[in-house]
Amino acid sequence: MALLQVENLTKNFNDTQVLKGVSFELEKGEVLTIIGSSGSGKTTLLRCLNFLEVASGGKILVNGEVIFPAKKQMKNNLTFGLVFQSFNLFPQYTALQNVTLAMDLTFQNSLKEKKIRGFAFKKAVKENKAINDITAKQLLERVGLADKMQNYPCELSGGQQQRVAIARALALSPDILCFDEPTSALDPELTGEVLKVIKSLKEEGRTMIIVTHEMDFAKNVSDKVIFMADGVIEEEGTPIQVFDNPLSEKTKAFLSKGEF
Amino acid sequence: METFLQISGELLNGFSVSVMLFIFTLVFSLPLGLIICFLTTSKFTPVRAFSKIVVWILRGTPLMLQIFAIFYLPGLLKWFTWPQMNTGWKWFDSTFSTRFIAALVAFSINYAAYFSEIYRGGIQSIPYGQYEAGKVLGLNQSQVFFKVVFMQVIKRILPPMSNEIVTLIKDTALATSIGIVELIFSAKEFMVVDGLIWPLFYAGAFYLIFVGIITVLFNFIEKKLSYYKV
Ligand SMILES: Nc1ncnc2c1ncn2[C@@H]1O[C@H](COP(=O)(O)OP(=O)(O)O)[C@@H](O)[C@H]1O
Ligand SMILES: [Mg+2]
């Protein structure tokens, strides 16, 4: 069974339908890239998967279990992680604190759910904090930022910030990590370092959905490519199928333009 | 004729009342402002509309008028009378007089309205991406507010806050209008009773020094928070 099944997902904003029935599947360990011109609904799709938007219709299943629509909308859906185009790091925290924050807080929440309070709470939090710090350091080393852990986002380059954001998203080990144009806000000379990190995540076997305009990268890293146009999946297949032998005229036109 | 020392003592007494009014106004108006801010940004239209009208009235009419209204109206309309402290502790009872309580209520509500607008501007200036980043990391609403947004809001509102708080120091002089014996009242007594002008300027020096201290304090906090940029 596929790790992720999306069935006929739709999203309306007022009167306009932005997603017009999107269906696809993703196996564990696969990398899916979504390409398509601006306004085709790529970001909206990722936002629906991450529950930043509530889809208007359709289904999302993870491991065969319906997570959307669900009777009780999951508050903290940690199946998915999301790396934003504009990083959205927390400026008042160091790189390390950016990565540990969610780990620390989710642990505290779990203690509160178990009604652990007072001294036991403090002790458990302290012990867990030490573990989280180690995990976060490993993650930052993993993205090549061992020497920037104590720096604030404003002291980092765009490429470094995006790598912190990737480490932050990995901290809660999401089953599926989504990227929304992770290099679009970067100077051209900084895109390489971020793409390299994403590539290394693929080699680790992470399941990812990547929206990107970096066609060479997409061709190189994906197991599956989806070309979106006007809120529908216009074409879908292996990188070779979509990039080298596109069937749809729209795909051909999009790829031949060369500017995304 | 009073000596310089006696006059200094009288003015210090008045100043202590001004400072109490200042401190307690902040104690009440800072949190009340946050509550008003949540009301004026409420998604429930009647609440939002009503609270916005209240803020409009509070910011749109003179504080002195509000002080008169709050001090005199309850009695004139026979609603209630402002309480008189009776702890037996003389300084306390005379400082926190009936008039003082009424003025404190007026100041607190009035300044809460101004603070609410500062908070609102600060909160709305935080990019939406910050909330979303918190949300996709599984933080709940209050964690997003207190762990992600709050410190950034503080940093952003510090300059307008310091402005407003400096204004409050000088606005405490309005309490004179309902006969509270604060700094200006004390200084004015020397002019009216003894024909002395200089105690008024002496009183001015008290305000200047107080404003100076508050300004230094805010500069210090701003510096403390300058380790990051938003
Ligand atoms: N919050 C919103 N309200 C109204 N329309 C929106 C909103 N978000 C996106 N849209 C519209 O949905 C369409 C798809 O947007 P988006 O998913 O951002 O496309 P892409 O990421 O492929 O460029 C666009 O036409 C955009 O204007
Ligand atoms: Mg987009």
Side-chain angles (χ1 to χ4, degrees), chain A residues 13 16 18 36-45 53 180-181:
Chain A
F13 288 113
T16 46
V18 171
S37 45
S38 137
S40 56
K42 307 180 297 295
T43 297
T44 306
L45 175 58
E53 303 282 0
D180 190 7
E181 304 194 24

Side-chain angles (χ1 to χ4, degrees), chain A residues 211-229:
Chain A
V211 171
T212 184
H213 291 304
E214 299 281 341
M215 294 305 153
D216 291 332
F217 174 72
K219 211 166 162 176
N220 188 290
V221 82
S222 346
D223 299 300
K224 204 189 246 176
V225 178
I226 283 176
F227 170 66
M228 276 185 75

Side-chain angles (χ1 to χ4, degrees), chain B residues 27-45:
Chain B
V27 167
F28 293 118
S29 61
L30 287 172
L32 183 60
L34 195 59
I35 294 169
I36 296 178
C37 166
F38 289 143
L39 296 179
T40 56
T41 52
S42 159
K43 288 198 181 77
F44 186 53
T45 311

Side-chain angles (χ1 to χ4, degrees), chain B residues 5-127:
Chain B
L5 247 141
Q6 280 170 322
I7 289 177
S8 300
E10 284 297 308
L11 291 189
L12 262 178
N13 269 339
F15 185 57
S16 76
V17 174
S18 302
V19 171
M20 286 298 133
L21 185 55
F22 171 79
I23 290 173
F24 280 95
T25 298
L26 286 186
V27 167
F28 293 118
S29 61
L30 287 172
L32 183 60
L34 195 59
I35 294 169
I36 296 178
C37 166
F38 289 143
L39 296 179
T40 56
T41 52
S42 159
K43 288 198 181 77
F44 186 53
T45 311
V47 169
R48 193 178 60 242
F50 178 75
S51 53
K52 282 197 166 178
I53 290 172
V54 171
V55 169
W56 174 58
I57 293 172
L58 288 171
R59 301 203 314 159
T61 59
L63 175 54
M64 199 188 288
L65 186 151
Q66 292 166 28
I67 295 170
F68 285 143
I70 286 176
F71 180 53
Y72 293 113
L73 275 190
L76 288 175
L77 299 177
K78 306 214 185 319
W79 288 339
F80 61 89
T81 50
W82 292 102
Q84 173 61 53
M85 294 291 155
N86 220 335
T87 59
W89 180 17
K90 198 162 156 284
W91 175 83
F92 185 88
D93 289 349
S94 70
T95 301
F96 295 89
S97 62
T98 307
R99 289 161 193 275
F100 184 93
I101 304 284
L104 179 58
V105 169
F107 272 88
S108 299
I109 296 173
N110 180 271
Y111 270 81
Y114 282 97
F115 290 147
S116 79
E117 287 296 285
I118 294 178
Y119 291 142
R120 190 170 64 86
I123 290 174
Q124 288 178 346
S125 74
I126 304 300

